[in-house]
Structure formats: structure tokens, C-alpha cells
Amino acid sequence: MSAKNITKHNQGELAPSELPEDLRGGLTVEGGDSTPQLGRIAMYQGTAQEQAKYGEGIFKRGDFIDVLEGRKLSSSRVVVVHCEVIYQRWDKDQQRPQYTYSHAQKHLIPHEDLEWDGDLPPACAKMYRCIVLVDGEPWPYLFIVKRTMMKAFDHLLALETRRSATHRGSGIYELGAEDEKNAAGNTYKRLTVRPVGDIPPSMFDAYRMARRGIDAIRAKAAQVEDEIPI
């Protein structure tokens, strides 16, 4: 491979197809799990917990990041491959949910956890656990759609239902963020969704692979524990 034929990419890296085969990754952990981890998307809110984890000034509020790699995603355009309802209860100042139930396990949730207490929302929140593809990224991601994101994502799902009814393919959507205030008067970034059009041909292969392997991907998604309740 001559130097003039090598194309530089982000941070001076080579594209996988340009890296000599004997230098490509393939680490196997003997006695451990060497299967690829499922990456997760998160919208950066700039909380104290996030700054402690990623460092100050690395991201801007509203950035969409790859949690595993700790970097901003190459794009905020996504295609939804799969989506399911889950229920979680987060207690104040806790780093893990008290419980997580699937839609089929809703009957296990204490009745009082699903009731409003005046203006206070239920202790148990309905969420979406979604598998999405990101334009420009080579693998699927887990995207947990939390309470404050539900309205925007419900709109996306309604658009996808219309596409399905008219026998159109999946759409691609631009994720965004805008300022909003919660009941305590604190500002946070609220999810926005804008339809862009049909899934582009450049994502066809990744979409087919994700659909074929959706059972294995869902199993990995169920093992991922979210860290920051927003």
C-alpha cells in the first residue's frame, strides 16, 4: 500500500478497509466474553454526574454521544430498527433504577408506583428501549427514550406507523435538543425530532444486518443499565 493511496480519517485514523488485515483488531479474552458490546446513545445534559464522568468542556449540552467510547456521534440522524416499552423506577440520588420491567411484566409493578401524587408524576416511568442506526456509524445503538423525551419520540413512532400503513420503508430522523424547564424550574435539554426522508441507500446493509440479528441485539440491550436518570 503506497503512502499516496492512504486516505486519512478522523484523528488521523485509517478506514477499516484500508488497514492491513494483519493489523486489524480481533482481541479474544480467554475465559471471558469477547462478543461486541452494544453501544448506547445519550443526550448530554451537562449535569454534575456527566461532567465527572466525561470531563468539563468536552461536550456541549444537547450533543448526542456514544457512551461507550465517550465521543460525540458523527451524526444525529437515526433510523429506528426496533422499539419496545419498558418501565423503570428511579429513586432520588440513585445511580441505578430500583427496578426495570418489560411491557409484559407491567403487572409486577406496585399499583401505587403508577399513580400520580397531585402534580408529582408516578414513581415508575414508562420509557422506550430502542435499537437505532446512526447515519455515519457502522453498528447499531441502544437509545433509552426517557420520560422527558417521550412526546418527541411518540411523534416519530406515529410517522413510522403511517409509513408502515402506506407500505413505505423506514424513515430517517434528525434528533435535536431545545431548552425546557422541569417542575422545579431547572433547565434541561428536551428532545426534538424532525423527519428527513427515506432511509438512504448507504444505510441499507446495516439495516438488513440489524434486522436479521435483532434477537441477539435485544438480549444485549436488556443487559445495559442506564446510569443517569433524566
Side-chain angles (χ1 to χ4, degrees):
M1 180 186 299
S2 65
K4 67 179 181 180
N5 290 329
I6 295 177
T7 302
K8 296 292 183 180
H9 293 265
N10 293 337
Q11 301 176 346
E13 296 178 354
L14 298 177
S17 60
E18 297 167 343
L19 190 68
E21 186 172 352
D22 59 346
L23 295 180
R24 296 178 188 175
L27 177 64
T28 299
V29 180
E30 293 188 14
D33 184 3
S34 298
T35 58
Q37 294 187 43
L38 180 64
R40 181 170 65 84
I41 294 176
M43 183 202 294
Y44 187 74
Q45 296 281 354
T47 64
Q49 298 101 313
E50 289 173 315
Q51 291 184 49
K53 181 175 181 177
Y54 301 111
E56 296 186 20
I58 305 299
F59 303 115
K60 295 180 180 178
R61 292 177 60 245
D63 281 349
F64 292 91
I65 62 176
D66 179 319
V67 173
L68 180 63
E69 296 188 17
R71 64 172 174 84
K72 183 178 178 180
L73 291 167
S74 59
S75 167
S76 60
R77 293 188 173 192
V78 302
V79 173
V80 181
V81 180
H82 174 80
C83 190
E84 58 187 301
V85 172
I86 62 171
Y87 296 89
Q88 287 186 335
R89 173 172 174 167
W90 287 90
D91 290 336
K92 186 177 181 181
D93 298 327
Q94 296 301 305
Q95 294 298 309
R96 293 290 187 273
Q98 181 172 325
Y99 57 72
T100 300
Y101 289 123
S102 70
H103 57 91
Q105 298 171 315
K106 187 178 179 181
H107 64 282
L108 299 176
I109 302 171
H111 181 71
E112 59 271 18
D113 283 3
L114 296 170
E115 295 183 335
W116 283 75
D117 182 8
D119 293 333
L120 295 177
C124 178
K126 174 186 173 181
M127 304 181 184
Y128 292 126
R129 183 162 57 201
C130 301
I131 307 301
V132 303
L133 298 173
V134 179
D135 193 14
E137 301 284 355
W139 39 66
Y141 282 93
L142 169 65
F143 186 31
I144 300 291
V145 180
K146 304 175 185 181
R147 197 196 309 257
T148 56
M149 300 179 175
M150 292 289 285
K151 183 176 180 180
F153 216 78
D154 280 339
H155 178 58
L156 182 156
L157 296 178
L159 292 173
E160 282 296 285
T161 299
R162 176 175 291 181
R163 281 180 162 273
S164 178
T166 55
H167 306 289
R168 299 175 64 188
S170 294
I172 185 167
Y173 299 87
E174 182 85 38
L175 303 182
E178 62 184 19
D179 285 333
E180 185 65 271
K181 287 189 176 182
N182 60 22
N186 299 318
T187 301
Y188 68 95
K189 287 293 186 180
R190 181 172 63 85
L191 179 72
T192 63
V193 171
R194 181 178 66 87
V196 177
D198 298 331
I199 179 174
S202 61
M203 300 181 73
F204 283 178
D205 287 345
Y207 185 83
R208 291 188 181 104
M209 289 181 64
R211 287 290 296 270
R212 286 197 296 267
I214 196 61
D215 289 342
I217 297 172
R218 287 179 62 194
K220 284 186 175 292
Q223 298 170 5
V224 177
E225 286 194 338
D226 213 356
E227 298 179 356
I228 302 172
I230 298 173

